[in-house]
Amino acid sequence: MLQLQQVSKTYDNGKTALQDISFKVSKGDFVSIIGPSGAGKSTLLRTINQMIPVSDGQILFHEDDVTRANRKKLRTVRRRMGMIFQHYNLVTRMTAVENVLHGRLGYKSTISGVMGRYTEEEKKKAFELLGQVGLEEFVYTRCDQLSGGQKQRVGIARALMQEPELILCDEPIASLDPKSSKVVMDYLKSIAKDMGITCLVNLHQVDVAMDYSDRIIGVSGGKVLFDGPPSELTPEILSEIYKSEDLLV
């Protein structure tokens, strides 16, 4: 489904964030990316949907080369890639269901999006997804009145509203307490296992990655130092991943 081939990223200030990254991800995989702060995890995730353009290399999503896609093609590809953010990225003055409906904006014309024109089928789907993540009682609640865990579940429902094949999760539980973190991770795991949607998740919490992942990619200094199942992630490898003192942005 997804292939990264020798992907590198150097910013205009000369700082290198990614160096020669290559890996493949299959349908329905739950893959965690771990590594210290500044290792390049967020940059890596954002190159996949081209929120950050690569400097070198190639990213293939199915048959599409996203690194060379024009604006129209990239818009089409992004419809199939949901994204969940550490700080939710919701419109806080809007209700939960309004935020979930924003997951359809990639399918709308600019005018329809601005006017908030959604079909009855889309509205029904938004309500169903909020129920699926346990928020049926909060569909009309403004998002600034929700807890962090509830906001993240709205973010999950919004991503699912796109009908994606891949969901990119950038530190989805970094701002949450342990109980809310478990709820969110359980939902993400079920998305991969039960819905067959590939999840690529940046995590600071190694224990969580070990518990939930089919596969772990360890990144440090912009390079992949480990790529394999949790059972092969030894203390020695973890030490190598987290020991670097010269971390990159």
Side-chain angles (χ1 to χ4, degrees):
M1 170 184 283
L2 177 69
Q3 297 183 57
L4 279 73
Q5 300 175 353
Q6 297 179 309
V7 170
S8 297
K9 174 62 182 179
T10 301
Y11 288 103
D12 292 339
N13 62 8
K15 290 200 173 185
T16 298
L18 302 174
Q19 302 181 56
D20 201 26
I21 301 282
S22 297
F23 61 82
K24 298 179 181 180
V25 179
S26 299
K27 177 179 171 60
D29 283 353
F30 191 102
V31 181
S32 292
I33 302 173
I34 64 168
S37 297
K41 302 189 301 297
S42 290
T43 299
L44 174 57
L45 213 66
R46 283 166 165 75
T47 60
I48 293 171
N49 62 7
Q50 289 295 280
M51 289 178 68
I52 296 176
V54 302
S55 300
D56 292 293
Q58 188 178 46
I59 299 174
L60 300 175
F61 183 60
H62 293 300
E63 71 284 357
D64 297 313
D65 182 351
V66 301
T67 54
R68 291 167 176 79
N70 59 31
R71 183 177 298 182
K72 182 178 180 181
K73 184 63 177 179
L74 189 57
R75 177 182 170 89
T76 301
V77 171
R78 282 174 172 167
R79 291 174 184 170
R80 297 181 285 162
M81 296 182 181
M83 189 155 190
I84 297 169
F85 301 85
Q86 176 181 345
H87 298 296
Y88 323 120
N89 204 34
L90 303 175
V91 182
T92 55
R93 70 179 185 277
M94 291 187 173
T95 64
V97 71
E98 287 173 323
N99 273 277
V100 173
L101 284 166
H102 283 178
R104 300 302 296 175
L105 289 178
Y107 295 86
K108 303 286 182 183
S109 68
T110 301
I111 293 176
S112 294
V114 170
M115 298 297 292
R117 295 173 180 168
Y118 299 101
T119 67
E120 288 304 312
E121 183 179 353
E122 288 170 334
K123 293 175 184 177
K124 181 180 178 182
K125 182 67 173 178
F127 279 94
E128 290 175 352
L129 288 171
L130 284 169
Q132 188 174 325
V133 296
L135 293 177
E136 50 274 292
E137 297 179 13
F138 299 93
V139 291
Y140 294 120
T141 302
R142 279 176 47 135
C143 284
D144 56 7
Q145 298 174 10
L146 298 176
S147 69
Q150 290 167 338
K151 289 176 183 176
Q152 198 58 288
R153 283 186 273 160
V154 173
I156 292 172
R158 179 184 57 190
L160 291 174
M161 193 71 190
Q162 293 180 224
E163 300 180 345
E165 298 173 62
L166 169 68
I167 294 182
L168 306 170
C169 309
D170 193 14
E171 303 288 357
I173 61 172
S175 303
L176 305 182
D177 60 68
K179 182 178 179 180
S180 297
S181 295
K182 184 180 186 308
V183 171
V184 167
M185 291 302 299
D186 285 347
Y187 279 122
L188 292 177
K189 183 65 175 180
S190 70
I191 286 169
K193 182 179 179 181
D194 301 330
M195 302 175 69
I197 298 173
T198 303
C199 289
L200 195 57
V201 187
N202 279 350
L203 288 171
H204 270 304
Q205 303 86 347
V206 174
D207 57 334
V208 175
M210 297 283 285
D211 288 341
Y212 284 89
S213 307
D214 302 313
R215 174 176 158 208
I216 294 175
I217 296 174
V219 178
S220 186
K223 299 178 180 179
V224 172
L225 300 187
F226 174 81
D227 185 352
S231 60
E232 295 180 7
L233 186 60
T234 64
E236 291 76 18
I237 294 173
L238 277 173
S239 178
E240 183 181 0
I241 292 170
Y242 286 92
K243 73 180 180 182
S244 175
E245 296 178 358
D246 184 23
L247 300 179
L248 302 171
V249 175

